[in-house]
Amino acid sequence: MPALEDRFGTMVFSDAEQRRYLPSDIYKRLSATIEEGEPLDLDVANAVAHAMKTWAIERGATHYAHWFQPLSCITSEKHEAFLEPKGDGTAITKFSGKELIQGEPDASSFPTGGLRATFEARGYTAWDPTSPAFIKDEVLCIPTAFCSYTGEALDKKTPLLRSMKALDTQAKRVLGFFGKHPERVVPSVGNEQEYFLIREEDYARRPDLILTGRTLFGAPPCKGQELEEHYFGAIRPTVNEFMKELDDELWALGIPAKTKHNEVAPAQHELAPVFTNANRAVDENLITMEEMRLIASRHGLVCLQHEKPFEGINGSGKHNNWSLATEDANLLDPGETPEENLQFLVFLAAVIAAVDEYQDVLRASVATCGNDHRLGANEAPPAIISIFLGDLLTECVQKIVDGKASVHAAHGVLDLGADVLPKLQQDNSDRNRTSPFAFTGNKFEFRMPGSAVNVSDANMVLDTAVALELKRFADALEGVGADEFAERALDYVRESLTMHQRILFGGNGYSEEWHEEAERRGLANLPTTADALPAFVTERSIALFDEMGVLSEVEVRSRYEVKLEKYAKRMNIEARTMERMARRTYLPRISAYATKIAKGIDTVMGAGGVSTLNFERDLLERLLEGVTVINEAILELTVVHNKALETEGWQEKADVYAHEVVPAMERLRASVDAMEDVVAADYWPVPTYDDILFYV
Ligand code: ADP
Ligand code: MG
């Protein structure tokens, strides 16, 4: 086996491979495109395509595909063979610059929201040279953006790239005041991916898991996570084999899978890679999720990426670790000297202002039907956004707000009265797990995104909002003389922190008091997707995306539409699956068991038994009562479900699902789950939580 380090990146057309396979002038021009966004000439593209093809075929590739992220949230690819017949019975291989740069998938089958009506249905994919091509299962995958013919973004990558550009521009303006002129500033992102692994045979017997990704029924297991033995526990051999293969595949794909461990819930695990720029991080995360599903199937397992596959058991998140990086510095690192402190605080204040001002949009960016079951479930952050800073930084912010910080007259640096900030670096251990947006030493960790989501949206919103706050700072400080700068910057930070202080919260985010307190502070509490999504299309949100050149109003509206539609459609599938399973899977078995008990009573009595058969008679009563309650619950669900189906307008439909259908689903679930404890195990039609969550 090759040395460990040689197993990394073998399937990626990385910078090193580009250098090896491209003539040096072409390599330089491609680098200029990647680094500085210079347009790519067709002759360069042709040369790159040729080198890519050679490289890929040498590694067993037979096809190429533009790999993109339509609004449906999954990745898409259409495979094209490199082979081209010559007409004489033989073939050559071909891959042109044009084919590399642009593809034309039929856009009409992808969600476009309102854009479908407004614009031509045709779309095209455009190569994103900043994320390297890779070979997956003999296909050369080329990361691309996906747009309509008139240029509107139809995907998740385009706005993310635009937001990164906005952030780069504004962050560099701010750094300029501090006499720093880096080549670029990029948001750095590391996503911790949580997931469940269960046995294929259990999965195959659960229509709810197959159709909706989560269990719509299931009583709590006898043993849950209360023994706290799973987190970081020894990894069972089956899972370990899966993890080893996953690491190998990810490393080959140049994805630096770093940390793996068991999570809190039984059968739950986590994988974290080393962070990289936001664009690449999102691509890597999507590839990771796909590889997880694929590799699980080779081990007789199924990888559940739903945010809440099991009720009463911890759900899965995708913690989005986020910071800002130049070539050589992390801008959210407090630094070791007072000279660095002011700059750190300017960036910190911008993040705080961004998260406060656009908390609802950020919340909306992670709103999905699956995440609704997780947020606020007392093991995941609440649906209210707040920021946790840790004791030292909170103290420091308080000092600034109280006017106790000043600019040192002689040195022009920030004086906080004590050596507070340098100590911050050691303050990493101070963790508040209940906070949705926590400062963890030199980065923020946004914990709201669910495990299934494409975190592109969340990062796009965050980048855009922070870019706007940095722009405001830069606009305000433009033209201020060097001698005055530090003082004026501190004033700006003080005003900003004072205005946005309400978003800071260090207490228990799960508690009831916090909900009340948050309401007093005027923070948004948007418990469901239907409540959260309208935040995208407020005037404030539209103005944000417009000002920063990230999304036009039609693009924002189309995204809102797509998300709403998706929510309503998924809810429809869930409601329908529930009704059908209750009627066709559970009721017949419960009735069959009741009949067996009834027959048993008859038989025993007929044989002249003298017992009162109290147990059997009680049981029979409970079963019959259970059947009645389930039947009523099905009827109730059907009524509200039909109402949702008949309601006009996607928002109105979504509201009915969130506020009427979901409660009816919960009642039906409870009625069926109550019978799980009563019906004999061999009559129960599906694997239970005990069966699914605890396996060898
Ligand atoms: P935790 O204790 O929360 O698991 P880790 O230090 O293991 O924290 O980091 C979790 C994730 O954060 C990893 O993916 C890591 O690469 C990422 N990360 C670390 N530093 C940064 C940074 N500056 N910007 C973005 N992500 C980062
Ligand atoms: Mg973490």
Side-chain angles (χ1 to χ4, degrees):
M1 194 185 267
L4 184 53
E5 61 271 27
D6 294 336
R7 283 153 62 189
F8 187 77
T10 52
M11 290 296 173
V12 190
F13 196 55
S14 61
D15 183 55
E17 293 293 64
Q18 288 167 20
R19 196 189 296 259
R20 218 151 69 84
Y21 276 76
L22 289 169
S24 73
D25 61 316
I26 301 286
Y27 170 76
K28 278 196 202 115
R29 286 167 71 187
L30 176 60
S31 298
T33 299
I34 295 173
E35 309 280 321
E36 286 129 46
E38 277 184 20
L40 200 69
D41 296 338
L42 196 59
D43 57 325
V44 179
N46 277 327
V48 175
H50 179 75
M52 253 191 203
K53 184 193 75 176
T54 310
W55 172 84
I57 291 175
E58 278 175 21
R59 281 154 190 78
T62 55
H63 290 69
Y64 71 91
H66 279 199
W67 182 82
F68 59 102
Q69 303 164 30
L71 298 179
S72 42
C73 209
I74 43 165
T75 55
S76 290
E77 51 196 72
K78 183 172 82 175
H79 304 171
E80 303 279 355
F82 285 124
L83 278 184
E84 199 135 302
K86 257 171 53 179
D88 62 356
T90 62
I92 52 162
T93 61
K94 190 174 154 284
F95 181 47
S96 69
K98 201 166 159 286
E99 288 165 318
L100 165 65
I101 297 180
Q102 192 165 320
E104 292 188 18
D106 178 10
S108 58
S109 301
F110 293 103
T112 61
L115 288 179
R116 190 177 287 141
T118 326
F119 299 96
E120 252 195 284
R122 275 188 306 162
Y124 67 92
T125 49
W127 179 33
D128 165 23
T130 61
S131 188
F134 56 92
I135 300 171
K136 179 171 65 80
D137 207 9
E138 300 178 1
V139 178
L140 171 69
C141 295
I142 301 154
T144 51
F146 181 41
C147 300
S148 77
Y149 242 82
T150 34
E152 279 72 29
L154 293 179
D155 69 344
K156 307 255 176 186
K157 184 188 269 285
T158 307
L160 178 64
L161 289 171
R162 291 180 190 155
S163 73
M164 289 168 70
K165 184 156 176 271
L167 192 50
D168 173 69
T169 307
Q170 302 306 331
K172 282 198 294 213
R173 282 182 70 201
V174 171
L175 287 174
F177 293 115
F178 292 92
K180 292 184 186 155
H181 304 281
E183 293 266 322
R184 77 194 75 90
V185 177
V186 292
S188 54
V189 168
N191 287 121
E192 300 164 55
Q193 176 73 42
E194 293 179 342
Y195 60 96
F196 281 83
L197 281 178
I198 66 169
R199 284 182 307 197
E200 221 160 39
E201 62 254 42
D202 292 332
Y203 179 80
R205 292 178 55 210
R206 297 278 322 211
D208 44 359
L209 276 177
I210 295 172
L211 295 172
T212 71
R214 72 181 183 108
T215 53
L216 299 171
F217 300 96
C222 298
K223 170 175 157 180
Q225 57 198 47
E226 64 273 41
L227 297 179
E228 297 174 346
E229 60 190 355
H230 197 253
Y231 191 60
F232 287 8
I235 298 169
R236 62 186 117 197
T238 335
V239 170
N240 215 16
E241 286 308 308
F242 158 89
M243 286 182 171
K244 282 197 276 190
E245 193 179 335
L246 179 62
D247 278 340
D248 255 340
E249 294 273 340
L250 294 180
W251 291 336
L253 289 166
I255 299 173
K258 178 87 176 164
T259 313
K260 53 184 180 183
H261 59 81
N262 284 350
E263 255 305 325
V264 170
Q268 191 187 30
H269 315 279
E270 178 183 304
L271 179 140
V274 176
F275 67 94
T276 177
N277 75 71
N279 177 39
R280 175 78 185 138
V282 169
D283 287 357
E284 287 184 358
N285 178 253
L286 293 170
I287 301 168
T288 300
M289 290 171 72
E290 185 179 330
E291 290 294 327
M292 281 177 167
R293 293 191 298 266
L294 181 74
I295 292 168
S297 72
R298 296 187 196 138
H299 293 263
L301 300 168
V302 174
C303 178
L304 303 180
Q305 291 168 346
H306 192 282
E307 291 88 348
K308 191 79 177 175
F310 304 101
E311 193 170 87
I313 301 284
N314 272 14
S316 297
K318 176 149 41 206
H319 296 175
N320 191 78
N321 294 272
W322 182 96
S323 188
L324 283 173
T326 66
E327 302 83 79
D328 44 28
N330 174 354
L331 299 177
L332 290 181
D333 194 321
E336 283 168 31
T337 63
E339 283 81 356
E340 293 167 309
N341 293 171
L342 184 60
Q343 180 195 305
F344 164 72
L345 286 167
V346 167
F347 282 95
L348 180 79
V351 177
I352 292 174
V355 173
D356 181 39
E357 203 170 332
Y358 298 100
Q359 48 180 289
D360 52 343
V361 190
L362 208 50
R363 161 70 184 98
S365 75
V366 298
T368 63
C369 143
N371 217 13
D372 282 1
H373 300 285
R374 170 177 166 265
L375 296 179
N378 275 5
E379 28 92 0
I384 307 164
I385 294 199
S386 62
I387 300 179
F388 169 78
L389 291 181
D391 291 345
L392 277 175
L393 201 48
T394 304
E395 189 186 316
C396 163
V397 165
Q398 198 57 51
K399 274 190 176 163
I400 295 173
V401 170
D402 294 344
K404 289 187 185 141
S406 59
V407 171
H408 199 284
H411 304 99
V413 298
L414 187 66
D415 188 351
L416 284 166
D419 213 11
V420 180
L421 282 172
K423 283 191 231 139
L424 268 173
Q425 286 199 308
Q426 285 101 55
D427 198 31
N428 277 355
S429 56
D430 194 1
R431 293 291 177 91
N432 181 330
R433 289 279 159 200
T434 69
S435 174
F437 203 96
F439 186 70
T440 47
N442 57 7
K443 59 178 161 52
F444 277 99
E445 186 172 337
F446 185 33
R447 303 198 179 113
M448 253 187 187
S451 48
V453 84
N454 179 336
V455 274
S456 190
D457 286 348
N459 282 294
M460 182 267 290
V461 172
L462 189 56
D463 296 351
T464 309
V466 173
L468 177 68
E469 301 300 343
L470 292 173
K471 176 176 186 289
R472 287 185 182 153
F473 175 87
D475 289 349
L477 278 272
E478 198 115 275
V480 169
D483 50 335
E484 268 186 86
F485 171 73
E487 199 136 355
R488 292 278 297 278
L490 179 60
D491 284 345
Y492 188 97
V493 168
R494 179 187 305 119
E495 270 175 39
S496 176
L497 289 175
T498 309
M499 189 154 40
H500 299 292
Q501 216 179 358
R502 63 171 185 167
I503 197 80
L504 304 178
F505 176 65
N508 179 4
Y510 300 163
S511 71
E512 199 43 54
E513 298 83 74
W514 169 233
H515 282 69
E516 289 157 22
E517 167 72 16
E519 195 176 338
R520 271 195 297 279
R521 293 188 190 189
L523 300 179
N525 185 0
L526 305 164
T528 74
T529 300
D531 306 320
L533 289 181
F536 270 127
V537 286
T538 59
E539 248 172 68
R540 197 164 38 85
S541 164
I542 290 170
L544 164 73
F545 293 119
D546 178 58
E547 181 172 353
M548 301 321 291
V550 172
L551 289 169
S552 66
E553 181 169 348
V554 268
E555 286 173 327
V556 176
R557 291 195 184 280
S558 87
R559 263 144 232 272
Y560 164 67
E561 288 264 320
V562 169
K563 279 175 191 272
L564 266 181
E565 255 188 70
K566 186 167 176 191
Y567 172 75
K569 285 176 181 168
R570 282 189 60 181
M571 287 307 309
N572 176 37
I573 294 170
E574 287 203 353
R576 207 190 289 163
T577 306
M578 267 200 116
E579 287 154 1
R580 211 169 280 183
M581 276 182 81
R583 209 175 275 132
R584 300 185 53 207
T585 307
Y586 291 103
L587 276 182
R589 299 301 292 159
I590 302 168
S591 295
Y593 186 55
T595 308
K596 174 192 145 88
I597 300 296
K599 279 191 182 151
I601 295 172
D602 256 5
T603 311
V604 173
M605 296 307 283
V610 289
S611 158
T612 58
L613 294 179
N614 276 348
F615 167 73
E616 287 77 4
R617 289 182 204 282
D618 278 357
L619 179 57
L620 183 57
E621 272 316 304
R622 283 180 75 184
L623 290 166
L624 295 176
E625 172 68 19
V627 167
T628 309
V629 174
I630 292 172
N631 208 31
E632 281 166 7
I634 297 174
L635 294 176
E636 264 181 55
L637 174 57
T638 311
V639 170
V640 281
H641 184 191
N642 283 338
K643 178 176 169 191
L645 289 172
E646 283 155 17
T647 301
E648 299 277 344
W650 289 108
Q651 180 66 54
E652 292 75 8
K653 223 185 239 307
D655 290 338
V656 177
Y657 276 118
H659 302 299
E660 296 181 52
V661 176
V662 167
M665 284 169 67
E666 278 163 10
R667 285 192 292 275
L668 174 55
R669 178 188 183 123
S671 71
V672 172
D673 290 357
M675 288 293 99
E676 197 177 308
D677 242 5
V678 180
V679 174
D682 58 346
Y683 270 73
W684 200 247
V686 300
T688 65
Y689 277 17
D690 282 312
D691 302 326
I692 299 174
L693 293 167
F694 301 93
Y695 61 95
V696 282

